Each structure stands twice: as C-alpha cells, then as structure tokens.
Amino acid sequence: MNFTGAHILSINQFQREDVDRVFAVADNMEPYALRKRVTRVLEGAILGNMFFEASTRTRVSFGSAFNLLGGEVRETAGFENSALVKGESLQDTARVLSGFSDVICMRHPQPGSVADFAAASRVPVLNGGDGANEHPTQALLDLYTIRKEMADKGRDIDGLSVAMIGDLRHGRTVHSLGKLLSLYKNIRVVLISPKELTLPDSIVESMRAAGVDVSISHELTQSIAAVDIVYSTRIQEERFSSKQEADLYRGKFRLNQAIYTQYCQPNTVIMHPLPRDSRADANELDSDLDDNPNLAIFRQTDNGVLVRMALFALVLNVADKVDDFAYEVRWYNARQNRITP
Ligand code: CP
C-alpha cells in the first residue's frame, strides 16, 4: 500500500506488511506521545476533525496526535454545528473543507458516508467510524495493543484465540478487528452475542475464507474459558429503533472479577474499545476489574495516539523526518516511563 496521500477508509485496504509499517512508525512515536521529546514535523499543516456523531477518544486522540506532530486542528462536532443541517451535501462539505485542511478525519452515522465524502475531497480522509460499518483506526490500535500485551507474555499475534463479546451486529470496531485478524495465521475467534446481534455473515464468511477458525456462541462463561483475549463491546443503543429495543440486550454478557477468576485462563487480556456502559443495567466490564493488571482498556486508548500519529505521518509522508524536527521538552512531565501503568 502506498500510504502517501491515501484515504484510510477500511481495513480491506491493508495487507499484513502495511500493518507492520504502521506499527513500526507507531513504536517510534512513543517518546513524543510521552512528551519526552517534541517534534514540529507537521508545522503549518491543518487537520479538519469532522465528527458528526458522538465521540470522546477518537476525536480527541486524532486531534492530540496531530498536535503532537506539530500541526493545528480545526473541529466540527455534531450536525447542529455544521451546514449539513442547512441541507448542504457531504460532497460540497468535502469540497469546502479540503480547501481548508491538509488531512481530514471524519465520523458520520451513515455506513459508506466517509468514503462518499473522501471521493469529493482534495486531501486524504481518515475514517473515524461510519455508522455500523467500520472503524479502521480503532482496529489498528486494538491490534497494536494486542501485539504489545502478548509480546509482554512472549507471544505473537499468530496463533491467538480471541473472544468478541456483545453487540457484534452493530459494533463497527469488531467488524474492522475481525477483518484485521484475518491477515494473521492460526487465529481462533469466538463470537459471543445474543442471537439477534451476531457478526454480519459477510464478515464471518470472509474471516473463514482467510483461514480464521470462527465459532459462534450465545453464552459467556464457557466460551471465554480458553482464549487469550476477551474483547467486550457495548450494546450500540444509537443503532436501535428505540432505547426499549436496546434494553432487551443490555447487561446480557457482563464480565466481572469473579467470572474472570472462575472461567478465564490466568492472564487473559481484557479489552474494550470504550466507552464501556457502566450504568447498572449494563455494566459490561465491572469496575471491580479496574485493578486487574490484565485490563488493557486504558492502554488501548493511550496506544490510539501512537497509531494515529503513525497514520498521519505515513499519509503526509513525514514518517522518516519526525526526528529531524525534534527537540527536548522543557516543562515538568507528570508521565511515567510507560504509556499507561
Ligand atoms: N472507541 C471509540 O470510538 O470511542 P469514542 O466513541 O469515544 O470515539
């Protein structure tokens, strides 16, 4: 894949060597993400950060990643603050915003909308989530986290067993992660969801065609007994016709420390793209797991900055120049040596 000037819209664009390239560049970003050093390699560049659907970590980590490379960020958050509410088309919005920006990140509730926007954009567009379709940068940061967590345990990505849990029908992060895991060898994936919320058949079929051993389950405890990673997800309430319909499924697959201790192998890594729904009727990852050293959810969010820095550096063709525009920080740095303890 030629990253320079490319749109990043789907995991379908990636081969294994492309993922290796992103991860190698992300590794090099660590001193900058930890504020041990500052780089100004993207000085003068502007990111248009366009989020037409709720977001905390994707929006802010894209912006932080761009700032950490020395660029400026301009944001729109929500339809109500954009001219889309006046009837402007996505294509016209793309034509306008790509005149202001050097790269654009976008989230939108309609599947395929970010690709439609990109087709009219004069600058690279990164998909920050298009409805229930895909969330490719989340999958990359998830796999980057898996790689780091398993390296600490002397393991590689090849040969891993992963349980994906929750609303697999609407969860765009598992759609993208399933595709990404398909690039690796001897992968086993257990899909745990209510019957009505299974992973789309097209993704299951493509994973199986790629050689992934996929099984489908509708119960939690026995299905998480022999996996290396449990990847829990939220019931995507915003994709249902009503809150009442989402309530039918909320809280069905709760993981807490007692269940983890009884059923999971020791050191099973616990992941979630976040936000986790911590309301009492959902509580999909209990807060009693917060002191479990295998809970990787906040390492995932920290790793997101590294991976998004890497994608910007690759798409804007500065990955090999980051250190040439660097200097030491002068302020007190509250961070410790690791990204997240
Ligand atoms: N994981 C994720 O997409 O989180 P946000 O919705 O907060 O961006």
Side-chain angles (χ1 to χ4, degrees):
M1 170 178 182
N2 180 6
F3 281 99
T4 304
H7 302 305
I8 305 294
L9 301 173
S10 168
I11 290 299
N12 295 337
Q13 296 170 251
F14 285 80
Q15 299 298 319
R16 187 165 168 159
E17 61 265 24
D18 304 320
V19 180
D20 290 345
R21 177 80 176 123
V22 174
F23 290 178
V25 176
D27 287 343
N28 289 338
M29 296 300 178
E30 190 159 315
Y32 304 102
L34 286 170
R35 277 62 150 185
K36 290 182 174 171
R37 307 195 80 202
V38 170
T39 180
R40 306 301 301 165
V41 72
L42 287 185
E43 191 162 28
I46 294 176
L47 164 67
N49 214 16
M50 305 293 136
F51 276 68
F52 299 113
E53 194 176 57
S55 171
T56 295
R57 72 226 77 232
T58 309
R59 180 170 57 84
V60 178
S61 73
F62 268 131
S64 299
F66 208 75
N67 286 150
L68 286 165
L69 291 167
E72 301 277 344
V73 182
R74 295 288 175 269
E75 274 195 358
T76 286
F79 283 105
E80 68 279 14
N81 297 316
S82 85
L84 290 172
V85 288
K86 302 177 188 173
E88 186 166 51
S89 69
L90 269 183
Q91 287 75 14
D92 277 1
T93 306
R95 291 176 188 116
V96 172
L97 291 174
S98 58
F100 303 158
S101 314
D102 299 285
V103 59
I104 293 172
C105 297
M106 185 176 164
R107 171 173 288 186
H108 191 284
Q110 288 300 321
S113 55
V114 181
D116 290 345
F117 180 95
S121 171
R122 288 170 277 163
V123 300
V125 175
L126 279 62
N127 183 358
D130 59 327
N133 183 32
E134 277 220 46
H135 196 344
T137 67
Q138 177 74 43
L140 288 164
L141 77 87
D142 287 339
L143 192 68
Y144 184 73
T145 302
I146 289 171
R147 172 179 164 268
K148 275 189 169 177
E149 298 287 319
M150 299 319 289
D152 287 349
K153 298 169 175 34
R155 299 275 305 278
D156 197 359
I157 298 172
D158 292 320
L160 290 181
S161 296
V162 181
M164 296 182 182
I165 304 165
D167 182 357
L168 307 183
R169 177 177 166 203
H170 302 108
R172 57 191 170 205
T173 70
V174 284
H175 300 173
S176 292
L177 185 58
K179 292 179 183 186
L180 193 54
L181 285 168
S182 301
L183 299 176
Y184 293 81
K185 297 190 188 108
N186 302 320
I187 300 292
R188 190 171 72 86
V189 174
V190 189
L191 302 171
I192 305 168
S193 72
K195 286 189 175 65
E196 298 81 0
L197 302 181
T198 53
L199 198 72
D201 289 345
S202 60
I203 301 176
V204 174
E205 284 160 19
S206 76
M207 290 169 71
R208 285 184 171 146
V212 179
D213 176 358
V214 181
S215 57
I216 293 173
S217 169
H218 305 298
E219 76 78 45
L220 181 70
T221 53
Q222 303 306 317
S223 306
I224 57 175
V227 299
D228 302 299
I229 292 149
V230 289
Y231 186 99
S232 184
T233 65
R234 182 177 61 89
I235 298 297
Q236 307 281 298
E237 183 180 317
E238 62 275 29
R239 310 277 176 238
F240 289 83
S241 55
S242 66
K243 179 180 179 300
Q244 288 71 25
E245 192 190 355
D247 285 343
L248 297 174
Y249 306 107
R250 212 188 303 278
K252 292 263 188 247
F253 298 112
R254 297 178 183 194
L255 185 62
N256 59 29
Q257 187 58 49
I259 293 171
Y260 181 90
T261 304
Q262 186 172 352
Y263 294 101
C264 289
Q265 295 179 20
N267 296 322
T268 298
V269 177
I270 307 163
M271 297 178 65
H272 192 302
L274 302 182
R276 58 175 158 173
D277 188 341
S278 295
R279 290 172 288 191
D281 59 345
N283 203 20
E284 53 218 21
L285 280 187
D286 197 299
S287 59
D288 72 359
L289 290 162
D290 288 0
D291 294 329
N292 185 324
N294 295 299
L295 185 77
I297 57 178
F298 301 115
R299 295 192 284 276
Q300 283 173 264
T301 51
D302 280 358
N303 287 333
V305 175
L306 299 175
V307 168
R308 291 180 173 123
M309 289 175 80
L311 289 168
F312 286 134
L314 287 163
V315 166
L316 297 177
N317 197 24
V318 294
D320 299 330
K321 302 185 186 76
V322 172
D323 297 336
D324 298 341
F325 294 85
Y327 53 89
E328 303 302 310
V329 298
R330 291 176 285 269
W331 64 84
Y332 167 70
N333 183 352
R335 288 172 181 76
Q336 302 300 311
N337 285 331
R338 268 198 76 123
I339 291 265
T340 306

